[in-house]
Amino acid sequence: MIPLSKKGSCSSQLCLALCAFGLALLGDLSQALPVEDQDYYLQEIINRDHYYSYPGPDEEFSPLTEQPGEEETAPVTEAEEPPKFRPGKKELKQKKGNKKEKSILEIPPAKNGNKKGEKNKKGNEKMPDGDYESRRAYEVVRESCPPLGLETLKITDFQLHASTVKRYGLGAHRGRLNIQAGVNENDFYDGAWCAGRNDPYQWIEVDARRLTKFTGVITQGRNSLWLSDWVTSYKVMVSNDSHAWITVKNGSGDMIFEGNSEKEIPVLNELPVPIVARYIRINPRSWYEEGSICMRLEILGCPLPDPNNYYHRRNEMTTTDDLDFKHHNYKEMRQLMKVVNEMCPNITRIYNIGKSHQGLKLYAVEISDNPGEHEVGEPEFRYIAGAHGNEVLGRELMLLLMQFMCQEYLAGNPRITHLIEDTRIHLLPSINPDGYEMAYEVGSELGGWSLGRWTQDGIDINNNFPDLNTMLWEAEDRKKFQRKVPNHHIPIPEWYLSENATVAVETRAVIAWMEKIPFVLGGNLQGGELVVAYPYDMVRSTWKTQEHTPTPDDHVFRWLAYSYASTHRLMTDARRRVCHTEDFQKEDGTVNGASWHTVAGSINDFSYLHTNCFELSIYVGCDKYPHESELPEEWENNRESLIVFMEQVHRGIKGMVRDLSGKGIPNAIISVEGVNHDIRTASDGDYWRLLNPGEYVVIAKAEGYTSSTKNCAVGYDMGATQCDFTISKTNLARIKEIMEKFGKQPISLSIRRLRQRARQRRQQR
């Protein structure tokens, strides 16, 4: 018989053992449970301590320092070798990180934070003495990871948390690098995360949702026209469970990182060594004395490979296109064009349309089965990019597109082959190379919102074209003078052509290019948003800044915009978060330019009113200057849209306008009944008129010729309807031709009658 005392002792030991086994089993089950199957929001509420549970100003501030034993319960490790985020040629894959990781016991001194345009002083750095491990650790310090994606929206709003917020529009979800405030800086769309209090106990936190190798932090102040708010110093803390936090140290003490000195210029601070954790928290320690605690930020980090996690594998983007996914400076851009031309000499041609303010040539690549010549009956298409030098994604998409089309043509892709054989395509990757070089100098994430936007002489090319809208609308308002200004091919005013006019040399080069080639359709690629904008870009009411202002071809422009947006991977996704303040989902990722914000002298309006070309602005991404590692995914997002939009040049009607002898008539006017906008034939007498499916009454006329009318039907299948015209000269034109042939000038009939009446009056007297 067992004594009672021993029995009680045995029972207590057994209970302890069972409890330990149960806890271990629960831990294993929670780790095995996929992320998407967990109640994430409930977990976050349970795991987070309430803000008021932190000590007051007079108490010791313990949450920002490590608690005894925390390193055992929530180990945060130092990585030995960060994976290199250089996408492969065939497939974009992340390299596996080293499985061996060390616990952080002491962090060596950090490097100084680099501000915009400031270079790392590598020449003054010395390699530390010691064994191989020390040297390898030093090399790791100098490496960095790409952004996690606060600016590109890869990090969702639910992954951002803060201690307190001033109001909803200044919540943690607004603390993204380069985010822009609304016009009114209202409660919903403001320009930063702002804490509800100004004290050293505030924080903003990012949940990477997987183990991540953190290497740096980039910060900005609040985007505001009226207020000056920014953080001047901060601490960085990391955690694996959001409970136990470890502060990044500088030797034995907590490291204080230098913050911003103004609100717009990004400041980069690299961590002393890469740190592996799931959560990272920024704790402001000081701020602008006349402002508040407000921040925008980006986190640099390499997510560690997790092949067993279906959630992350499902959301990873891969590409199989063998293209050069990198940012190209001016010299590298020229070299890449040359490589494409050498690969496909029979379908490509490199030429330049002029020079920039700094003397850099504005290179373009032509892709056609007969490069260098306009083929009768073949429409001309153009893509241009880089009007704002810091919006570099469009530039890289153009370089990727020319590589892709060359490769696919050589591979015999029937879709690309058909497009090249039936279309003359022009790609102009960089209109503003001077501005690009400025942005390229500081690199991705550090140029802010506007560095490199303007030309070298401070001009915004996108809005530097003649304002023809005002001329047209004033003429329409004064009906008696309406005939003096046509509804198309409106001439450029004389003041604009003078040397003293504030016109960029790049703008003049683009205008000359547009006038020389009979473009039918074009798209200018821009950045900072995800939407397709169609004209008019200028409001008609002078006292309004936003007003829907459609063109006579509004139905065609809407279709063209939708053709790009609907085939983009994200533009029409209803679940997508807005980039800054505007939600374009109500119009399926498209917007009338004037209803968004009015702009006088835009390239879209000028192209429509001065030439035959229908031009749209295509905003290809929230991030103007995405990191190099983002380019493969951005290419996949836009590839199909770029091709589909080019194919729209073959929608509508096309044909020839000839005289009785079969000769093409240049500059003949093509009018569509019910549409108050005409186009003109090219030098060979051929024309292209973009129209949606339907039946149209089309009229062809030219000076000295009788007009001709036809009914032309446009179908739903791709391919323009052939609609040719043959027109004969008027009797007066024939008389003029005969008299000019014999050296005599014809007398106007009205003048002859006036002279006869004058003689009769003199005779009566």
Side-chain angles (χ1 to χ4, degrees), residues 147 150-153 177-180 220 223 264 266 296 298 327 385-397 429 432 435-436 439-440 442-454 460 462-463 525-530 579-580 596-597 618-628 630-631 634 638:
L150 275 77
E151 185 175 6
T152 60
L153 306 183
L177 191 73
N178 286 322
I179 201 165
Q180 301 297 293
Q220 278 177 313
N223 175 249
E264 288 299 335
R296 292 177 287 167
E298 181 63 85
H327 289 296
H388 298 148
N390 63 331
E391 296 171 8
V392 306
L393 179 55
R395 170 190 175 113
E396 296 305 328
L397 288 175
N432 182 9
Y436 174 83
Y440 183 83
V442 298
S444 173
E445 316 304 324
L446 296 181
W449 189 250
S450 59
L451 180 67
R453 175 185 177 91
W454 299 279
D460 186 338
N462 193 55
N463 310 328
L525 305 189
Q526 302 189 44
E529 263 296 351
L530 204 55
C579 291
H580 300 283
W596 183 11
H597 51 76
I618 303 169
Y619 293 80
V620 291
C622 301
D623 190 350
K624 290 184 175 183
Y625 196 151
H627 190 270
E628 199 168 273
E630 300 289 334
L631 293 179
E634 293 294 353
N638 289 276

Side-chain angles (χ1 to χ4, degrees), residues 233-250:
S233 68
Y234 58 89
K235 290 183 181 180
V236 176
M237 297 175 287
V238 291
S239 173
N240 278 345
D241 60 2
S242 80
H243 277 306
W245 292 89
I246 293 180
T247 305
V248 174
K249 292 188 174 298
N250 185 7

Side-chain angles (χ1 to χ4, degrees), residues 51 57 163-166 193-203 222 228-231 283-295:
Y51 168 73
S163 53
T164 61
V165 299
K166 186 169 290 187
W193 160 68
C194 290
R197 293 177 174 184
N198 288 332
D199 59 41
Y201 314 115
Q202 307 303 311
W203 47 262
R222 177 180 178 179
S228 297
D229 301 317
W230 62 83
V231 170
N283 165 229
R285 306 303 296 178
S286 62
W287 47 93
Y288 179 54
E289 60 183 359
E290 297 181 10
S292 303
I293 296 178
C294 294
M295 296 184 77

Side-chain angles (χ1 to χ4, degrees), residues 76-80 100-104 106 108 137 273-276:
V76 182
T77 55
E78 172 188 341
E80 292 187 355
K100 297 181 180 179
E101 297 170 348
K102 300 179 181 179
S103 296
I104 295 179
E106 186 177 37
V273 292
I275 302 175
V276 173

